[in-house]
Amino acid sequence: MNGAIGERDLIRRISVILGGLENDDCAVIDAGERYLVASTDMLHQKTDFPDIMNPWQMGWMAVAVNLSDIAAMGAEPAGVLIAAGLPPEADQYFIDELFSGFGDCAALYGTRILGGDTDSHLELTITGTSLGFVEKELILRRRGARAGDLLCTTGSLGAAGGGLWAWQNGMKSELITSLLEPEPRLKEGRALAKSGSVTAMMDNSDGLALSLSDLSEVSGVGFLVYQDKLPLAPGLVEMVGQENALEMALSAGGDFELVFTLRSSGLEAARRACDLTVIGEVVEEGIWMERAGKRRQIERLGYEHRIGL
């Protein structure tokens, strides 16, 4: 087969080969009274780590992206496994800083590095596997959204995209830290699960547009996004303009916020759980952006690996 295939299309093919896989941020394993949730992410130096990133930040990011998947399930982290393929140029300083980044991120979010594997590799390659537990009645999945639900997000959108733009254009901006040191929303995910108001949830690490596409496919619904309600990252519009800021919020990726739906009757409970912004509503079909009474379709764009086959 010639050409490249998108990551999501590849996952669909693999799911058929393996007899059907649930499309969630984590795999779900029955562990008696609770579920064990598990996720794994692979990061490569050339693909995933900007040149400006130091080895401590590389370690931090490798753990943070894995913990974000645990957050999206409403779970508490139980630990992280790390497999690190170290390149020939990795000296003692690089290794010490890299592994300090692993440990510091895990510790800040109340968990630890359980172990893993190290070997040599031509390019720095890190595979993290995160584990967590969640009560069966509290687990949050990508499926479950229903027409009439509210569409919400934690935090702000477009910060990582703005940070990448600032770095590429030689500008100083606090948004660069958002790009290099993402913050998984574990506290928020857990609190939202306990609120009992959320019907579907995932993280938006690949951008809002792709996240909505994923939720739409799994839940069999559509979304209407209120453009004027999107919480764009502070300073983003001033730096890149309104149009570019909106595009970054939709498709740049790297924000690691939680995007979720909830029953309108549960809005107050969700607000007590964490800071959130209602950015739209669940509709029967299609993914739309509305501003001043006019609607346009949101394209399915975002950060997605392309695999050559």
Side-chain angles (χ1 to χ4, degrees):
M1 180 177 178
N2 297 322
I5 185 172
E7 181 180 4
R8 281 163 171 77
D9 288 334
L10 180 61
I11 290 171
R12 293 186 190 97
R13 292 171 63 91
I14 292 171
S15 180
V16 172
I17 293 169
L18 297 180
L21 299 174
E22 189 81 22
N23 186 4
D24 270 314
D25 288 64
C26 291
V28 180
I29 305 156
D30 195 319
E33 294 182 358
R34 299 184 294 174
Y35 286 124
L36 170 66
V37 296
S39 181
T40 187
D41 275 289
M42 184 185 300
L43 294 90
H44 305 278
Q45 182 151 6
K46 294 179 182 178
T47 306
D48 299 295
F49 300 136
D51 291 343
I52 194 176
M53 185 175 277
N54 62 47
W56 183 90
Q57 291 168 330
M58 295 176 188
W60 175 282
M61 175 173 280
V63 172
V65 300
N66 276 278
L67 291 180
S68 183
D69 290 333
I70 300 296
M73 308 297 288
E76 292 182 332
V80 180
L81 296 164
I82 292 289
L86 302 172
E89 65 271 18
D91 56 19
Q92 194 64 55
Y93 169 79
F94 183 96
I95 294 170
D96 288 351
E97 287 294 295
L98 179 70
F99 279 79
S100 292
F102 295 150
D104 289 347
C105 185
L108 183 64
Y109 292 99
T111 191
R112 64 192 182 96
I113 305 301
L114 300 173
D117 185 36
T118 59
D119 66 6
S120 60
H121 200 280
L122 292 178
E123 176 189 3
L124 176 66
T125 300
I126 302 168
T127 299
T129 299
S130 54
L131 305 170
F133 287 101
V134 59
E135 298 86 347
K136 290 183 175 179
E137 68 274 14
L138 298 185
I139 191 169
L140 298 175
R141 315 292 290 260
R142 293 184 181 184
R143 54 178 162 86
R146 297 292 180 266
D149 287 351
L150 300 176
L151 175 64
C152 307
T153 184
T154 59
S156 60
L157 304 174
L164 181 62
W165 187 92
W167 165 58
Q168 291 175 335
N169 287 275
M171 297 180 63
K172 293 182 178 180
S173 171
E174 293 181 359
L175 297 178
I176 295 176
T177 302
S178 299
L179 170 70
L180 302 180
E181 300 173 22
E183 299 179 359
R185 300 301 186 187
L186 282 161
K187 180 179 178 181
E188 292 85 347
R190 185 67 179 154
L192 286 167
K194 289 181 177 181
S195 77
S197 58
V198 174
T199 54
M201 186 160 76
M202 67 179 293
D203 81 3
N204 73 332
S205 54
D206 293 330
L208 180 61
L210 270 183
S211 298
L212 294 181
S213 177
D214 289 341
L215 288 172
S216 173
E217 181 176 347
V218 175
S219 287
V221 296
F223 296 98
L224 175 62
V225 177
Y226 312 140
Q227 181 174 322
D228 293 338
K229 297 293 185 180
L230 289 176
L232 300 178
L236 184 61
V237 173
E238 291 80 1
M239 185 172 69
V240 302
Q242 180 70 35
E243 185 175 341
N244 287 333
L246 181 61
E247 183 62 27
M248 289 174 181
L250 289 175
S251 61
D255 283 334
F256 295 96
E257 298 294 347
L258 297 174
V259 176
F260 55 97
T261 59
L262 52 83
R263 296 180 296 274
S264 57
S265 60
L267 179 57
E268 290 309 311
R271 288 195 188 279
R272 289 193 296 269
C274 70
D275 290 332
L276 61 87
T277 302
V278 178
I279 61 171
E281 61 186 276
V282 183
V283 295
E284 293 290 344
E285 60 183 4
I287 303 177
W288 310 90
M289 181 82 76
E290 182 176 87
R291 186 172 188 271
K294 296 182 179 180
R295 295 185 182 183
R296 64 176 177 87
Q297 278 195 306
I298 295 177
E299 293 186 55
R300 187 180 177 274
L301 297 173
Y303 182 80
E304 186 173 20
H305 290 286
R306 304 290 297 179
I307 296 94
L309 293 176

